[in-house]
Amino acid sequence: MFVQGHRLATMRQWPENRIAFGGDYNPEQWPREVWADDLRLMAEAGVSFVTLGVFSWSWLEPSKGEYTFDWLDDIMDLLGEHGIAVDLATATATPPPWLTSAYPEILPVDREGHTLWPGSRQSWCPSSPLYREFALALTDRLASRYHDHPALAMWHVSNEYACHNLPCYCDTCAVAFRRWLEQRHGTLDALNDAWGTAFWSQRYTSWDDILPPRITTTFSNPTHVLDYSRFGSDTLLDFYRSEYEVIRRHSPTVPITTNFMTMSQFRLLDYHDWAPHQDVVSTDHYVVNSLEHPQAELSFHGDLTRGLAGGRPWMLMEHSTSAVNWQPVNPAKVPGGTILDSLAHVARGADTLGFFQWRQSRSGSEKFHSALVPHAGEDSDRFREVCELGAIADRLGEVLGSRVDADVAVLWDYEALWAMSGPCMPSSAIDYATAGHTIHRLLRDRGVTCDVVHPSADLSRYRVVVVPTLYLVSDEDAASIAAAAAAGAHVVVTYFSGISDANDHVRLGGYPGAFRDLLGVRVEEFFPLREQEGVALSDGGTGSQWSEDATATDAQVVTTYANGPLAGRPAVTRRDVDAGVAWYLGTLPDDASLGSLLDTVLRESGVESVVRTSPGVEVVRRRSDSGSWLFVLNHTDDACQVTASGHDLVSSTDVGPTLHLSPRTAAVVREG
Ligand code: GLA
Ligand code: ZN
């Protein structure tokens, strides 16, 4: 159903008739007596799948070449007998101690040259051929042993690639980087040109002189660093693909995936390159409670993951029932929070609800991380909520495979993110995600759903295209954005976009280089704002983050700066472009000012809310040939009302014409 396009014909479909519900299961952490209890409680909670074996290497191959599959055979059989599907991991996320003792060259090295020792997890260098050899041998054993096991539903390659071991700066990586650079640039002349090595006497005359961007006296060459980010993502993708191929040889029809981390804090892999190599896009998400708008970030993450899946449904492989253990302070979720967060993911296209993990550990680094079965045991409010969620997941089966409606695209590009995240930029107080997240959040508050897609995506289907801080952009992508405006879209470009090309060379002649003509704006100098600093705007609002000395060469000035060194200069402009409009924000207006600008954009472009709602009440519509489902999520502490009619699958009641929701509850209304 949601397997990626070209593989549809041959791939086995899973899940089949319900939202898959379950999570990571680590039975090796528990004596066998507990397994029977696990199976009983899984049935009670309505668990339909588990991910097995993510960190099991030392239990599967306790010493070199000696394999012990008996325990995995037993638990696979038991799960199969209980009707629970298995997403079987390749167990290659973390090497066993014997492997790193025998071959310490496998260990990753940080920027300062320190070895990252074993004793935690993911202690392997992404470029290590030795590590790959051992990992592929284990993958081969697992795939040949379990490929036709009746419980097997999915293969789970490694785990959260790059989470802890990228970038690695070791000598093995140095050699691999040179090979990668030769492929990308062809000649040293081309590399010198791309990296701008005329600067600071950096010209290379031999490939062997090129090193990873290790710690230096001061700023490293930014294109060197950018290429190292690309190299790291490509290296791990190649690793993933080699594991994929080994599995595929034994297991032709079972879907293969690896869990991404599309949450906005994780930025090391270019998932737009990775997604086409997944049979199903899967990802992990954890609510970061220190964010100002954590629920809006969750929604953004869902829309980005759906974008990576090409609009198809995706798997939420992991999230948490309650507290995590890795933020500075880790409060539990409020009652109802487990269900609300889960349904927020389903609203944005998840057809799987996976958690880390089934049973909360007694020992180890994650013993204070919540789970489906908490330390308190089955007699707990959280486990009762988990059981309720399992029953809801079952009732939501009819939603499976449906798509999310969106008329607005927000662009997201890991290369632009990498390039603008380095030091020695005009401002270290701006972050790639801020403008995109803010606009996405304000649209979400208005009941408008966005697809978050790469700049090279087909933009022709969107009425509004938001281009936030697209610092680095290729000529082709800039042309496609301009074409979207010419064809009738409202294109909203923000500050610090279009500045540099794919090698991070500045586009000359005035900023915002690649978008100067589209926007009819020319900027000579930047005036970035300090953290907490604001600039008054002529509409009564306040700008933050950025300001700049812009001239509207061929655009209408909508808002100007009202104080400071730029008083009277344009802050927001608009330009009619054939059938569409190009808007430019030279600063980030506050929510009220930006919101009213977005209201104008929505009105003029004809984009409507899913239903009218108030901030804190999230609404999304999923649709298929057989019907439509309105998701309403009340994140507030007050009761709310929304216009909706049909059958609510959460409460199993008919509703309409007004849906009433208590605080922190959700409805999924089959409309009509
Ligand atoms: C990641 C990992 C899991 C676990 C969780 C904790 O998602 O994949 O193994 O460590 O984080 O939040
Ligand atoms: Zn390395």
Side-chain angles (χ1 to χ4, degrees):
M1 196 164 315
F2 54 78
V3 166
Q4 297 284 65
H6 62 284
R7 303 195 177 94
L8 261 178
T10 49
M11 210 61 60
R12 206 196 287 173
Q13 301 305 316
W14 181 82
E16 273 165 21
N17 46 26
R18 54 165 291 158
I19 298 286
F21 176 67
D24 284 22
Y25 181 33
N26 299 302
E28 68 271 34
Q29 292 180 12
W30 298 93
R32 287 206 178 208
E33 306 82 81
V34 177
W35 296 8
D37 205 43
D38 286 337
L39 290 160
R40 177 181 65 81
L41 292 176
M42 283 181 195
E44 199 173 319
V47 164
S48 67
F49 90 100
V50 295
T51 300
L52 266 186
V54 173
F55 295 107
S56 301
W57 192 340
S58 65
W59 287 83
L60 294 169
E61 191 182 0
S63 60
K64 188 175 170 183
E66 182 214 329
Y67 294 94
T68 51
F69 291 116
D70 43 336
W71 69 271
L72 188 56
D73 291 350
D74 291 350
I75 195 70
M76 287 283 289
D77 290 350
L78 276 172
L79 289 161
E81 284 158 21
H82 286 76
I84 295 174
V86 173
D87 166 42
L88 186 58
T90 58
T92 52
T94 293
W98 60 260
L99 181 53
T100 46
S101 295
Y103 305 98
E105 63 269 42
I106 281 173
L107 295 170
V109 171
D110 74 6
R111 192 164 173 261
E112 281 88 45
H114 303 124
T115 298
L116 303 178
W117 297 101
S120 180
R121 65 175 178 181
Q122 216 174 58
S123 34
W124 51 277
C125 157
S127 304
S128 167
L130 254 173
Y131 184 74
R132 191 183 288 212
E133 192 184 315
F134 281 99
L136 294 187
L138 177 64
T139 303
D140 189 66
R141 288 284 180 139
L142 283 162
S144 70
R145 191 174 187 93
Y146 296 105
H147 68 95
D148 58 358
H149 194 285
L152 180 72
M154 170 98 36
W155 289 103
H156 182 293
V157 182
S158 196
N159 191 63
E160 291 189 340
Y161 277 103
C163 188
H164 314 291
N165 61 352
L166 200 74
C168 172
Y169 297 86
C170 77
D171 291 340
T172 310
C173 281
V175 173
F177 183 43
R178 289 173 201 138
R179 246 189 348 253
W180 182 92
L181 289 169
E182 278 198 68
Q183 277 190 1
R184 180 174 175 88
H185 297 289
T187 64
L188 274 179
D189 280 350
L191 175 133
N192 279 311
D193 187 45
W195 286 14
T197 56
F199 184 80
W200 280 356
S201 183
Q202 290 173 353
R203 191 164 77 96
Y204 291 96
T205 50
S206 160
W207 292 101
D208 293 340
D209 294 335
I210 302 174
L211 295 170
R214 293 174 177 155
I215 190 160
T216 44
T217 47
T218 179
F219 305 125
S220 299
N221 179 314
T223 313
H224 182 176
V225 177
L226 175 62
D227 269 355
Y228 209 64
S229 299
R230 291 170 169 145
F231 158 74
S233 181
D234 285 359
T235 300
L236 284 172
L237 176 55
D238 192 64
F239 197 115
Y240 162 77
R241 293 182 66 187
S242 66
E243 289 202 64
Y244 183 104
E245 290 309 327
V246 168
I247 298 169
R248 194 44 90 225
R249 278 205 292 278
H250 296 285
S251 183
T253 59
V254 176
I256 303 173
T257 190
T258 186
N259 48 338
F260 291 171
M261 285 177 284
T262 38
M263 50 195 293
S264 22
Q265 290 70 29
F266 179 80
R267 300 169 160 200
L268 295 172
L269 299 179
D270 188 339
Y271 288 129
H272 289 106
D273 288 342
W274 283 64
H277 301 285
Q278 313 295 309
D279 293 334
V280 182
V281 166
S282 69
T283 194
D284 301 342
H285 184 269
Y286 292 93
V287 177
V288 177
N289 58 55
S290 56
L291 293 178
E292 202 180 340
H293 302 285
Q295 294 298 332
E297 190 281 328
L298 186 157
S299 303
F300 188 95
H301 157 274
D303 292 341
L304 169 60
T305 309
R306 191 179 65 257
L308 291 165
R312 282 174 286 274
W314 46 277
M315 298 180 71
L316 181 64
M317 194 62 91
E318 293 177 23
H319 63 319
S320 67
T321 57
S322 191
V324 299
N325 64 315
W326 44 263
Q327 296 176 29
V329 180
N330 297 293
K333 290 190 182 180
V334 296
T338 313
I339 292 176
L340 202 57
D341 287 351
S342 288
L343 293 181
H345 288 289
V346 178
R348 291 178 192 269
D351 274 5
T352 298
L353 288 173
F355 289 88
F356 177 83
Q357 62 177 326
W358 163 248
R359 187 182 280 279
Q360 188 166 6
S361 302
R362 290 187 72 174
S363 58
S365 303
E366 296 187 318
K367 57 185 179 295
F368 293 116
H369 192 293
S370 61
L372 289 153
V373 182
H375 284 158
E378 62 187 289
D379 182 13
S380 61
D381 287 342
R382 195 61 66 185
F383 186 68
R384 282 183 279 276
E385 187 173 337
V386 162
C387 294
E388 201 184 327
L389 178 59
I392 294 169
D394 197 25
R395 292 201 290 279
L396 288 182
E398 61 186 77
V399 172
L400 216 67
S402 60
R403 305 283 187 113
V404 174
D405 287 348
D407 290 326
V408 179
V410 175
L411 305 189
W412 182 265
D413 181 8
Y414 290 96
E415 295 206 3
L417 183 164
W418 292 336
M420 73 170 265
S421 300
C424 55
M425 298 298 265
S427 168
S428 57
I430 61 165
D431 178 66
Y432 176 72
T434 305
H437 277 189
T438 304
I439 294 173
H440 181 274
R441 170 173 58 82
L442 293 175
L443 292 170
R444 173 182 176 274
D445 286 350
R446 285 160 171 72
V448 171
T449 312
C450 306
D451 284 345
V452 178
V453 296
H454 189 261
S456 64
D458 174 13
L459 303 177
S460 63
R461 39 189 298 258
Y462 299 105
R463 290 169 189 237
V464 176
V465 176
V466 180
V467 185
T469 45
L470 192 62
Y471 163 76
L472 172 153
V473 65
S474 68
D475 294 346
E476 301 78 52
D477 292 348
S480 146
I481 290 163
H490 281 241
V491 171
V492 182
V493 181
T494 82
Y495 57 91
F496 216 40
S497 292
I499 307 296
S500 77
D501 66 13
N503 287 324
D504 194 13
H505 292 201
V506 171
R507 295 169 178 279
L508 302 179
Y511 316 119
F515 300 120
R516 208 166 50 221
D517 292 342
L518 169 68
L519 301 168
V521 170
R522 183 165 180 273
V523 175
E524 295 190 9
E525 290 190 292
F526 301 137
F527 289 73
L529 300 170
R530 290 173 188 81
E531 265 171 76
Q532 316 299 337
E533 186 182 355
V535 55
L537 301 174
S538 59
D539 67 354
T542 307
S544 66
Q545 301 272 315
W546 194 263
S547 64
E548 57 190 17
D549 186 9
T551 304
T553 49
D554 178 22
Q556 187 189 326
V557 177
V558 178
T559 311
T560 56
Y561 297 105
N563 65 5
L566 301 173
R569 311 288 294 159
V572 177
T573 61
R574 82 167 264 165
R575 174 169 175 257
D576 292 321
V577 186
D578 299 329
V581 180
W583 299 84
Y584 184 55
L585 306 177
T587 186
L588 187 68
D590 60 64
D591 284 4
S593 167
L594 183 51
S596 90
L597 182 81
L598 291 171
D599 286 335
T600 307
V601 171
L602 295 174
R603 196 173 53 247
E604 289 191 20
S605 60
V607 174
E608 288 179 6
S609 307
V610 170
V611 289
R612 287 183 67 85
T613 177
S614 48
V617 180
E618 183 180 355
V619 284
V620 185
R621 181 170 284 117
R622 285 183 68 163
R623 195 189 294 281
S624 75
D625 291 343
S626 60
S628 68
W629 294 267
L630 179 68
F631 286 72
V632 185
L633 301 131
N634 181 7
H635 296 288
T636 73
D637 292 326
D638 302 310
C640 75
Q641 298 185 7
V642 169
T643 306
S645 296
H647 182 73
D648 172 22
L649 299 169
V650 175
S651 61
S652 296
T653 55
D654 290 339
V655 299
T658 302
L659 165 72
H660 299 267
L661 278 182
S662 341
R664 306 214 173 263
T665 62
V668 180
V669 181
R670 182 204 304 135
E671 296 177 297

